[in-house]
Amino acid sequence: MDYKSMKPESLMMSYGYKPSLSEGAIKCPIFQTSTFVFNSAMEGKRFFELAYGLREKDKGEELGLIYSRLNNPDLEILENRLCLWDEAEDCAVFESGMSAISTALMEFMKPGDLLLYSRPVYGGTDHFINHFLKKLNILSIGFHATDSKEQIIEKINNSGRADQLTMIHIETPANPTNALIDIRMCAQIKQHFTTDEKPVILSVDNTYMGPIWQHPLKHGADLVLYSATKYIGGHSDVIAGACLGSNELMARVKGLRTFLGNMAGPWTGWLLMRSLETLKVRMDEQARNAAEVAKFLQNHPLVEKVYYLGFIVEEKEKEIFNRQYSSSGAMISFDINGGEKQAFKFLDSLKLIKLAVSLGGTESLAEHPQTMTHADVPMEDKQVMHISEKLIRLSVGVENYHDLITDIKQALDQVN
Ligand SMILES: *Cc1c(COP(=O)(O)O)cnc(C)c1O
């Protein structure tokens, strides 16, 4: 079959799986096994030669199954399917988004190096950068969506470590206010500091808009990172992560994963394959619902401002949006009239929408970034990002949007 001409959503049920290898089962079984039996000692030897890079792959040769820390059918098939969405050469699935991010950062950076990153990033990523990496003498410089390319280059030059810039890590749109970071601009900064001896790796955390609505590799990124806990898993019942990129870079990421042992298990792989079958349907419906909810909020007298990609007016942001995204997404934040008291009253009054952190699942969730997901973000960043006490973040799910709006309306009535 000519898979290349088909859309990923058509292939999520079958791609990479051969029923004949599993008694004809239409679905890939859960390969709940730690190790795999070799057909012969010579076969085992040849598998290990590949696993440790002791020889080149023969034409068409795949790494044979050895041991579930290195590979397992549920992970391999899942990884092949994830590659289709981002048009990546290879993928590694991890036991959490944080393990994907921390493994990638550790593989490509060493003591003395410099990291450039967009702010704010996910709290766990921020902590890893500013505590763990710092302890290894890997320093970092943060920048905001409002900084220009020239300002960022100047910051790097002023750091005293411009020669050691080895990685740029960004998150766009920025959580929780949907500020946009220009991936192409970051790729230009990467080129500016790349030398023959030292490449600079650009990684993009695509959790918010991927893998459907944004494809960072097309805009010059080297690695795409995910918390697969969010849209990819999509049912708020599994923690997982993923990293995608070229064969060359992914060989290194997978190498470190083998030795840290932070790959996802077969059960997680199976759950994510099940989730991928409905990924596009879910995300499309979530985006449609979000557009209706955003419209309702925009017109409500108790709502001061709505942060939603469908409402961008600024020219520069519009240009980035049109280039990078194919949807306004399903994440909305808004400022409620008042402060923490009003925000909490609203959150405590919701009935259908649940008060919880996380995002991207089938059920709608609401939270208060300033005191919850972004409690640890420095005050300066909170100000730049408008993460004030009146800000509420919504992850819109697949419910009927009329019911979501009814719930939001009655909760706002309680505040009044
Ligand atoms: C949740 C999240 C993470 C961390 O992922 P886990 O699966 O919880 O480890 C990283 N980045 C972003 C943008 C997230 O939303």
Side-chain angles (χ1 to χ4, degrees):
M1 209 155 23
D2 181 16
Y3 286 126
K4 289 236 154 57
S5 67
M6 292 185 196
K7 296 274 187 251
E9 62 268 27
S10 306
L11 301 173
M12 288 302 112
M13 285 61 77
S14 59
Y15 186 73
Y17 171 66
K18 291 195 193 85
S20 60
L21 293 179
S22 299
E23 306 281 7
I26 183 120
K27 289 289 128 175
C28 178
I30 303 172
F31 286 86
Q32 191 68 46
T33 183
S34 58
T35 194
F36 297 86
V37 179
F38 303 134
N39 284 311
S40 67
M42 183 51 76
E43 186 185 74
K45 174 181 170 179
R46 289 183 59 77
F47 286 0
F48 267 92
E49 283 170 352
L50 271 199
Y52 283 100
L54 303 177
R55 67 173 169 87
E56 291 292 308
K57 265 185 199 170
D58 291 343
K59 216 172 158 0
E61 186 180 5
E62 296 279 338
L63 176 61
L65 293 163
I66 298 175
Y67 182 67
S68 284
R69 179 156 46 74
L70 280 68
N71 54 7
N72 176 290
D74 290 293
L75 279 208
E76 287 199 344
I77 298 168
L78 168 66
E79 287 163 355
N80 291 341
R81 290 183 187 174
L82 279 171
C83 282
L84 296 177
W85 296 100
D86 279 302
E87 294 182 28
E89 285 176 4
D90 199 8
C91 168
V93 173
F94 289 82
E95 61 190 349
S96 70
M98 275 318 302
S99 55
I101 294 165
S102 55
T103 302
L105 289 172
M106 283 193 288
E107 174 56 29
F108 295 105
M109 305 200 76
K110 59 178 190 320
D113 282 354
L114 179 69
L115 168 74
L116 174 74
Y117 72 108
S118 63
R119 285 174 94 169
V121 283
Y122 179 73
T125 309
D126 193 274
H127 190 92
F128 187 77
I129 290 172
N130 288 300
H131 293 89
F132 184 75
L133 290 184
K134 201 174 197 173
K135 208 170 65 182
L136 300 187
N137 188 24
I138 295 170
L139 298 187
S140 60
I141 296 178
F143 71 96
H144 292 115
T146 46
D147 291 338
S148 70
K149 182 169 86 177
E150 290 68 30
Q151 285 169 322
I152 298 168
I153 288 176
E154 194 183 319
K155 272 191 196 181
I156 296 167
N157 284 334
N158 291 343
S159 72
R161 280 197 188 190
D163 300 347
Q164 273 81 42
L165 181 74
T166 43
M167 243 184 128
I168 303 175
H169 176 79
I170 61 171
E171 223 176 277
T172 178
N175 174 7
T177 58
N178 286 329
L180 299 181
I181 308 276
D182 186 342
I183 301 174
R184 190 174 69 188
M185 176 193 78
C186 293
Q188 288 164 353
I189 296 172
K190 157 192 144 92
Q191 289 307 337
H192 185 95
F193 289 97
T194 293
T195 61
D196 288 346
E197 301 81 58
K198 177 191 64 68
V200 181
I201 305 286
L202 171 57
S203 60
V204 178
D205 183 328
N206 202 27
T207 300
Y208 242 57
M209 295 294 272
I212 305 250
W213 302 317
Q214 172 171 259
H215 299 111
L217 297 177
K218 292 199 173 128
H219 303 285
D222 299 299
L223 295 175
V224 185
L225 292 158
Y226 288 105
S227 168
T229 311
K230 315 295 165 57
Y231 287 101
I232 292 174
H235 293 71
S236 307
D237 57 6
V238 62
I239 300 272
C243 177
L244 297 99
S246 67
N247 283 326
E248 191 189 340
L249 295 181
M250 290 310 299
R252 289 184 55 182
V253 172
K254 282 186 162 170
L256 185 55
R257 183 184 68 167
T258 292
F259 298 107
L260 292 176
N262 54 0
M263 75 298 151
W267 176 226
T268 294
W270 186 90
L271 276 171
L272 291 181
M273 275 197 272
R274 183 172 178 149
S275 291
L276 281 184
E277 297 188 9
T278 55
L279 179 75
K280 179 143 193 313
V281 184
R282 282 187 281 114
M283 289 181 77
D284 282 351
E285 185 67 8
Q286 285 171 274
R288 258 194 301 274
N289 283 347
E292 298 295 338
V293 170
K295 223 180 336 178
F296 171 80
L297 289 169
Q298 179 91 323
N299 293 319
H300 198 285
L302 280 187
V303 174
E304 276 181 13
K305 185 172 166 127
V306 181
Y307 303 87
Y308 169 62
L309 291 180
F311 294 159
I312 292 176
V313 285
E314 212 252 306
E315 275 311 310
K316 185 171 160 256
E317 279 219 304
K318 252 191 187 158
E319 194 274 318
I320 299 173
F321 177 80
N322 289 332
R323 177 156 37 90
Q324 279 175 202
Y325 304 94
S326 59
S327 163
S328 302
M331 295 298 297
I332 304 171
S333 291
F334 66 96
D335 287 333
I336 196 165
N337 206 326
E340 186 181 286
K341 185 159 165 272
Q342 285 73 16
F344 280 16
K345 181 71 187 168
F346 170 79
L347 290 169
D348 291 340
S349 302
L350 290 167
K351 293 196 166 79
L352 180 64
I353 300 173
K354 298 292 174 258
L355 171 52
V357 299
S358 196
L359 59 102
T362 43
E363 65 280 271
S364 295
L365 301 176
E367 64 113 4
H368 190 245
Q370 196 200 49
T371 59
M372 297 171 191
T373 44
H374 294 68
D376 196 36
V377 171
M379 208 51 204
E380 171 215 340
D381 291 332
K382 278 190 185 154
Q383 272 158 7
V384 175
M385 295 293 298
H386 309 286
I387 306 173
S388 71
E389 53 178 31
K390 47 174 112 168
L391 188 75
I392 288 161
R393 188 186 80 177
L394 292 177
S395 168
V396 181
V398 299
E399 302 91 341
N400 185 297
Y401 71 81
H402 292 291
D403 294 331
L404 293 175
I405 290 171
T406 303
D407 193 28
I408 292 170
K409 185 170 179 304
Q410 67 79 23
L412 285 169
D413 287 344
Q414 298 294 316
V415 178
N416 224 346

